[in-house]
Amino acid sequence: MSNLAILPLIIPAISGVIVAFTNSHVKTTRLLTKLFTLVGLAVTMFVAYTVFTDGAIILETGGWIAPYGIILVADKLSILLVLTTNIIATAAVFYAPNSLTLRQETHYFYTFYFMLIAGVTGAFLTGDLFNLFVFFEVLLMASYALIVLGGDKVQLRESIKYVLINLFSSMLFVTAIALLYGAVGTINMAQIAERVAEVEQTGILTTIAVLLFFVFGTKAALFPLYYWLPRPYIVPNPVVSALFGALLTKVGIYSILRVFSLIFIHRMEITHEAFIWIAGLSMVFGVIGALSTNNIKLIISYNIIPAIGFIIMGIGIFNLDALSGSIYYLVHDMIIKSALFLLVGVIAYVAGTSDLKKMGGLIHHYPLLGWLLFIAAFILAGIPPFSGFIGKLLLLRGALSADEIAITLIALLSSLLILYSVIKIFIRGFWGEKDETKTYTKKPSLGLILPIVGLLAISVFLGIGAEFVYPSIEGIAEYLLDPQIYIDSVLKE
């Protein structure tokens, strides 16, 4: 047992309380937020190094041994996602002062930011289902505040849909946990997996599995549960949109990955086979949404949905290549989505609009923004040698080895359409003759550009440096394919 497991969670939790007391002094709050975020990143990097070197870290809080007490499990999967979360948080916190208004900053943005990071981190690290629900609620409460920060009419309108759908799914979540506890007598994920294996997943357990998938699928915005997502994610400030797009749906995906690789793996012909079809439909309908709009923020928001489809595809196929591809693509998508949301926020700021029809020739005024967008589009679509290509290559290799030809073709077509949906921002917004009738006086500051460059650099490294990254990702996939390793490490059998 080691207290290292709780450090990535406790640092943002305490930091949020501290900056609440300095809120009226904006410069002090900004400085403290950057300092605490960098400390959190450094500590998480150390914990990740320890986990990848020495194995999973299990913390049994209060001295209560598993499965009786609350436990935190920092294994390779969870700590990789916590590290990615901290990288995104660092980029966001350096971008934020250049994007937020003073009014937004003084209305406790930095406190809610830390609450969001703490909730996401806790969801990744928790070892029992009820505390997964608790951390979901922590991050959702923070997101409720962040989505309305600024008080614009459109924010309030979209927040109603966002709050209602999440309240409904949370109600179903706690109901599913109660049903599962009634069936197996525990909420510890390792012990649930052990007991489900003993009874070979009866009909009632498969029904509970489907209900949990519905809950997590709603939060992850899978087909046909994605309808709530695109517009609520674009109405807040760009830095909030980046945090939402990179993190919130990914907690839902992580929950599916964890639960359906550890607990419900005995009726794959019912559960995992359905995942493949849902993945294909998510790709198709997400791309259709991205192609149907001229709002650059909405294009990026819709592109969250096919990305979720790619990740679910690997979970459904459930072999080594496919799971490796899902994990690789999950990390890739968290990074590139945050970069794209920040980038389109800057483009909308300098252009004075989010409507592509009102843009044109921006490359003559903002060449750096144009080429950053061009690179980001190629990374997102999975063009070699970028990170998206590595994840998709593994997914397609896994699909072909499992003779899943239909989903392979859908994935390939979706990739091309994803590229077109983003590159059209470059073609219509940046390319073309210089329009002398339009004057652009707004200049993006280094504080807006550098976080985007940093995130894109990491994405590029994940592609060209795949030979260094892939062995660790493959190790995580092998670990997920043998749930007994997780069970034994938690229950110490």
mmCIF file of all heavy atoms in Angstrom, residues 398-413:
data_model
loop_
_atom_site.group_PDB
_atom_site.id
_atom_site.type_symbol
_atom_site.label_atom_id
_atom_site.label_comp_id
_atom_site.label_asym_id
_atom_site.label_seq_id
_atom_site.Cartn_x
_atom_site.Cartn_y
_atom_site.Cartn_z
ATOM 1 N N GLY A 398 -6.532 -5.255 -35.876
ATOM 2 C CA GLY A 398 -7.328 -6.094 -34.984
ATOM 3 C C GLY A 398 -8.649 -6.500 -35.608
ATOM 4 O O GLY A 398 -9.106 -7.639 -35.454
ATOM 5 N N ALA A 399 -9.288 -5.556 -36.333
ATOM 6 C CA ALA A 399 -10.567 -5.849 -36.987
ATOM 7 C C ALA A 399 -10.405 -6.880 -38.092
ATOM 8 O O ALA A 399 -11.206 -7.815 -38.215
ATOM 9 C CB ALA A 399 -11.164 -4.559 -37.544
ATOM 10 N N LEU A 400 -9.361 -6.746 -38.883
ATOM 11 C CA LEU A 400 -9.142 -7.684 -39.987
ATOM 12 C C LEU A 400 -8.798 -9.079 -39.466
ATOM 13 O O LEU A 400 -9.226 -10.094 -40.040
ATOM 14 C CB LEU A 400 -8.035 -7.165 -40.905
ATOM 15 C CG LEU A 400 -8.404 -5.931 -41.744
ATOM 16 C CD1 LEU A 400 -7.179 -5.394 -42.477
ATOM 17 C CD2 LEU A 400 -9.520 -6.268 -42.737
ATOM 18 N N SER A 401 -8.035 -9.144 -38.386
ATOM 19 C CA SER A 401 -7.694 -10.457 -37.831
ATOM 20 C C SER A 401 -8.917 -11.156 -37.240
ATOM 21 O O SER A 401 -8.949 -12.384 -37.115
ATOM 22 C CB SER A 401 -6.612 -10.312 -36.758
ATOM 23 O OG SER A 401 -7.110 -9.602 -35.630
ATOM 24 N N ALA A 402 -9.942 -10.362 -36.879
ATOM 25 C CA ALA A 402 -11.191 -10.922 -36.364
ATOM 26 C C ALA A 402 -12.253 -11.056 -37.465
ATOM 27 O O ALA A 402 -13.415 -11.349 -37.165
ATOM 28 C CB ALA A 402 -11.724 -10.050 -35.229
ATOM 29 N N ASP A 403 -11.849 -10.802 -38.720
ATOM 30 C CA ASP A 403 -12.757 -10.891 -39.880
ATOM 31 C C ASP A 403 -13.933 -9.924 -39.785
ATOM 32 O O ASP A 403 -15.033 -10.225 -40.257
ATOM 33 C CB ASP A 403 -13.280 -12.331 -40.053
ATOM 34 C CG ASP A 403 -12.166 -13.299 -40.415
ATOM 35 O OD1 ASP A 403 -11.248 -12.898 -41.156
ATOM 36 O OD2 ASP A 403 -12.214 -14.447 -39.936
ATOM 37 N N GLU A 404 -13.696 -8.764 -39.193
ATOM 38 C CA GLU A 404 -14.731 -7.725 -39.108
ATOM 39 C C GLU A 404 -14.541 -6.771 -40.282
ATOM 40 O O GLU A 404 -14.031 -5.664 -40.143
ATOM 41 C CB GLU A 404 -14.636 -6.987 -37.764
ATOM 42 C CG GLU A 404 -14.919 -7.851 -36.545
ATOM 43 C CD GLU A 404 -16.387 -8.214 -36.399
ATOM 44 O OE1 GLU A 404 -17.217 -7.665 -37.160
ATOM 45 O OE2 GLU A 404 -16.698 -9.043 -35.527
ATOM 46 N N ILE A 405 -14.980 -7.202 -41.452
ATOM 47 C CA ILE A 405 -14.737 -6.443 -42.678
ATOM 48 C C ILE A 405 -15.602 -5.186 -42.736
ATOM 49 O O ILE A 405 -15.131 -4.110 -43.136
ATOM 50 C CB ILE A 405 -15.005 -7.318 -43.917
ATOM 51 C CG1 ILE A 405 -14.180 -8.613 -43.838
ATOM 52 C CG2 ILE A 405 -14.690 -6.537 -45.194
ATOM 53 C CD1 ILE A 405 -12.694 -8.393 -43.751
ATOM 54 N N ALA A 406 -16.867 -5.302 -42.314
ATOM 55 C CA ALA A 406 -17.794 -4.165 -42.420
ATOM 56 C C ALA A 406 -17.306 -2.969 -41.612
ATOM 57 O O ALA A 406 -17.260 -1.838 -42.118
ATOM 58 C CB ALA A 406 -19.194 -4.581 -41.968
ATOM 59 N N ILE A 407 -16.921 -3.195 -40.356
ATOM 60 C CA ILE A 407 -16.482 -2.083 -39.511
ATOM 61 C C ILE A 407 -15.156 -1.531 -40.018
ATOM 62 O O ILE A 407 -14.885 -0.323 -39.888
ATOM 63 C CB ILE A 407 -16.364 -2.514 -38.029
ATOM 64 C CG1 ILE A 407 -16.190 -1.294 -37.108
ATOM 65 C CG2 ILE A 407 -15.230 -3.501 -37.832
ATOM 66 C CD1 ILE A 407 -17.366 -0.381 -37.066
ATOM 67 N N THR A 408 -14.341 -2.375 -40.659
ATOM 68 C CA THR A 408 -13.083 -1.892 -41.239
ATOM 69 C C THR A 408 -13.346 -0.889 -42.354
ATOM 70 O O THR A 408 -12.723 0.182 -42.408
ATOM 71 C CB THR A 408 -12.262 -3.078 -41.785
ATOM 72 O OG1 THR A 408 -11.980 -3.992 -40.723
ATOM 73 C CG2 THR A 408 -10.954 -2.594 -42.388
ATOM 74 N N LEU A 409 -14.291 -1.214 -43.226
ATOM 75 C CA LEU A 409 -14.626 -0.321 -44.333
ATOM 76 C C LEU A 409 -15.255 0.979 -43.823
ATOM 77 O O LEU A 409 -14.939 2.066 -44.321
ATOM 78 C CB LEU A 409 -15.579 -1.027 -45.303
ATOM 79 C CG LEU A 409 -14.999 -2.238 -46.045
ATOM 80 C CD1 LEU A 409 -16.070 -2.927 -46.869
ATOM 81 C CD2 LEU A 409 -13.822 -1.817 -46.923
ATOM 82 N N ILE A 410 -16.122 0.863 -42.820
ATOM 83 C CA ILE A 410 -16.736 2.062 -42.238
ATOM 84 C C ILE A 410 -15.666 2.960 -41.620
ATOM 85 O O ILE A 410 -15.694 4.184 -41.774
ATOM 86 C CB ILE A 410 -17.793 1.672 -41.186
ATOM 87 C CG1 ILE A 410 -18.991 0.998 -41.852
ATOM 88 C CG2 ILE A 410 -18.261 2.902 -40.397
ATOM 89 C CD1 ILE A 410 -19.985 0.397 -40.867
ATOM 90 N N ALA A 411 -14.708 2.347 -40.929
ATOM 91 C CA ALA A 411 -13.636 3.117 -40.282
ATOM 92 C C ALA A 411 -12.782 3.850 -41.311
ATOM 93 O O ALA A 411 -12.416 5.012 -41.124
ATOM 94 C CB ALA A 411 -12.776 2.192 -39.429
ATOM 95 N N LEU A 412 -12.457 3.173 -42.408
ATOM 96 C CA LEU A 412 -11.644 3.805 -43.458
ATOM 97 C C LEU A 412 -12.377 4.968 -44.104
ATOM 98 O O LEU A 412 -11.807 6.055 -44.301
ATOM 99 C CB LEU A 412 -11.266 2.763 -44.510
ATOM 100 C CG LEU A 412 -10.229 1.714 -44.080
ATOM 101 C CD1 LEU A 412 -10.121 0.609 -45.118
ATOM 102 C CD2 LEU A 412 -8.871 2.362 -43.836
ATOM 103 N N LEU A 413 -13.650 4.764 -44.441
ATOM 104 C CA LEU A 413 -14.438 5.843 -45.046
ATOM 105 C C LEU A 413 -14.605 7.004 -44.078
ATOM 106 O O LEU A 413 -14.477 8.176 -44.468
ATOM 107 C CB LEU A 413 -15.801 5.304 -45.480
ATOM 108 C CG LEU A 413 -16.769 6.325 -46.095
ATOM 109 C CD1 LEU A 413 -16.180 6.949 -47.352
ATOM 110 C CD2 LEU A 413 -18.116 5.676 -46.391
#
